Amino acid sequence: MTLRRRKRGGTGRAASGTAEPGGGDRLARRLGTGDAVLIGLGSMVGAGVFAVFGPAARVAGTGLLVGLLVAAVVAYCNAVASAQLAAVYPTSGGTYVYGRERLGPWWGFAAGWGFVVGKTASCAAMALTFASYAVPGPGWARRAFAAAAVVALASLNYRGVTRTALLTRVLVVASLAALAVVVAGIAAGGQAGAARLGGWTAVGAGGAYGVLQAAGLLFFAFAGYARIATMGEEVRDPARTIPRAVPVALFIAVAVYLVVGAAALLAAGPDVLAAAAAPLAAAVEAAGAGALAPVVRAGAALASLGALLALIAGIGRTALAMARHRDLPGWLAAVHPRHRVPHRAEVAVAVAVCALVAAADLRGVIGFSSFGVLVYYAVANVCAFTQPAADRRWPRALNVLGAAGCVVLVAALPRTSVLAGAAMFAAGLGGRWLVLRRRGPGAPGGVHNARYE
């Protein structure tokens, strides 16, 4: 019924107007194509490139490069689905909004819940990665510095999105420069070579399941392109800017990951990477370029800060959209009258991330984050599949491939991640059902009219 009603009302652009509040509650459109690309890059070329190759090598050996390509294909399908939807629904919230508009509030809630919880875990992982490279002291000192970084970046986001974009630009350039120095150092060190790859047997060491599990873990590093779509309410000319920015940011990130991953394997081999807490530092040392270890540490710290900055901004805007529809507490929907940012939502995100930093394990949150985000993109692909021809930019076959890929990668994640993710979704969906039941059928968001909000 929802889709039929929207077809009578137009292509969906009119419907998007209902999702975006009017007047003073709107966020300011200040970001151009270059800003959007850099925010996406800041989210992808972050902690993942410095942390995720170790766990991936542990389950797939040299086959992690195959897993990287699998993750890239799934990420591309998800990226074009998100870009196509964001061009029609240019408001904060990403797939939470698309799910509500195309499929109904329950689908939207599932996507938004997975994004907010999963990406909050990602924030904790990136803050801890920053601290592990920047602070060589004891564990409590690293956690204290990680929490301090969260507070500092949340404060910057609080001051306005243009400041977020400016700092992201600086951090992305610095991170890419550091990675370029690392790759060049490995090439010049004289110790890297194909012999360290272990031959074809190492490619299939983990079997098909190991490659798919590596792809699911590596997907953690690619998911940053969603930040462009979730900030759609702040992008100038979103119908043109978002479909251009999302694929560009993704292709650059894929190229960077392939080059860095191949260089690390040639330098250290899969066994050394699998055993290392800091895989790229281990690769540099194994290649005979140990003098570059400070560059690796500085690059990891800067990249982690860039990803954390963009993540906090994206989660805050999804929480804003969910609060607008009363799927999260309504006080989170406030927009700062001067800085035009969802300040209460961002403060709440910062508090939650600091709590996770105090208790979370760096490696454990990667699979948990991937679970939530893959569900988020599965919903995005289903939403994009339902769009009419007038709103389509890519073939529906990519939506089918993307949704199927998300399901397969979720199933291939480590068992503990799957169990924790399933429990997280059960808690969220069950909690929403209880809240709607308490509100009653006549209240906004109640059980009878929830589908037509």
Side-chain angles (χ1 to χ4, degrees):
M1 294 179 66
T2 302
L3 292 180
R4 287 199 297 270
R5 184 177 65 181
R6 288 196 174 99
K7 287 179 181 179
R8 290 198 297 270
T11 65
R13 289 178 174 83
S16 69
T18 64
E20 185 177 3
D25 287 337
R26 289 188 181 182
L27 302 176
R29 296 194 182 276
R30 296 171 176 168
L31 303 178
T33 301
D35 295 324
V37 169
L38 283 165
I39 285 175
L41 276 178
S43 300
M44 286 183 280
V45 184
V49 74
F50 294 95
V52 80
F53 286 121
R58 191 173 300 116
V59 298
T62 307
L64 75 84
L65 292 178
V66 180
L68 184 63
L69 292 174
V70 172
V73 170
V74 176
Y76 176 76
C77 294
N78 298 341
V80 297
S82 297
Q84 180 174 285
L85 288 158
V88 179
Y89 304 103
T91 187
S92 288
T95 303
Y96 169 72
V97 172
Y98 316 148
R100 290 182 64 90
E101 292 289 330
R102 303 302 312 173
L103 305 171
W106 278 100
W107 288 81
F109 177 83
W113 182 251
F115 182 88
V116 169
V117 176
K119 285 303 182 180
T120 299
S122 293
C123 285
M126 293 182 183
L128 289 168
T129 299
F130 158 74
S132 67
Y133 278 91
V135 183
W140 67 264
R142 290 196 296 270
R143 292 184 186 275
F145 269 82
V150 172
V151 172
L153 295 182
S155 299
L156 182 73
N157 274 329
Y158 193 99
R159 300 288 294 176
V161 71
T162 51
R163 291 175 175 82
T164 298
L166 176 61
L167 183 56
T168 299
R169 186 187 300 271
V170 173
L171 294 176
V172 167
V173 171
S175 302
L176 291 175
L179 289 173
V181 171
V182 169
V183 172
I186 288 175
Q191 301 298 320
R196 300 201 175 189
L197 299 181
W200 286 107
T201 56
V203 175
Y209 177 73
V211 169
L212 289 175
Q213 188 172 135
L217 294 171
L218 288 161
F219 186 84
F220 163 81
F222 281 124
Y225 51 79
R227 226 65 65 243
I228 302 171
T230 56
M231 299 180 74
E233 196 172 322
E234 294 157 281
V235 174
R236 295 191 300 267
D237 191 11
R240 177 175 176 269
T241 297
I242 295 175
R244 292 177 60 187
V246 169
V248 169
L250 178 61
F251 282 136
I252 294 173
V254 169
V256 169
Y257 272 66
L258 281 172
V259 171
V260 173
L265 283 169
L266 289 169
D271 293 338
V272 173
L273 292 182
L280 291 191
V284 166
E285 293 172 359
L292 292 177
V295 176
V296 178
R297 289 187 175 277
L302 289 172
S304 301
L305 287 176
L308 180 59
L309 178 69
L311 265 175
I312 292 173
I315 298 170
R317 281 142 183 85
T318 299
L320 167 72
M322 295 181 74
R324 284 171 172 172
H325 292 286
R326 298 185 64 189
D327 278 333
L328 287 178
W331 60 269
L332 293 174
V335 174
H336 196 282
R338 177 182 175 187
H339 302 303
R340 314 309 306 158
V341 296
H343 57 298
R344 291 180 181 172
E346 291 192 350
V347 169
V349 169
V351 171
V353 173
C354 287
L356 285 174
V357 162
D361 174 73
L362 175 60
R363 295 182 179 181
V365 296
I366 291 178
F368 179 78
S369 174
S370 292
F371 186 103
V373 177
L374 283 164
V375 172
Y376 174 90
Y377 284 116
V379 175
N381 278 288
V382 176
C383 292
F385 184 86
T386 68
Q387 287 185 278
D391 292 337
R392 299 197 62 80
R393 297 168 183 263
W394 290 275
R396 280 193 168 94
L398 290 179
N399 305 144
V400 175
L401 178 61
C406 288
V407 172
V408 170
L409 294 188
V410 162
L413 286 171
R415 184 176 300 176
T416 54
S417 299
V418 173
L419 293 175
M424 177 264 291
F425 272 97
L429 294 170
R432 185 178 195 268
W433 181 82
L434 289 174
V435 169
L436 293 181
R437 189 173 181 84
R438 288 186 61 185
R439 287 179 188 168
V447 291
H448 288 292
N449 63 1
R451 180 165 175 78
Y452 305 101
E453 293 178 293

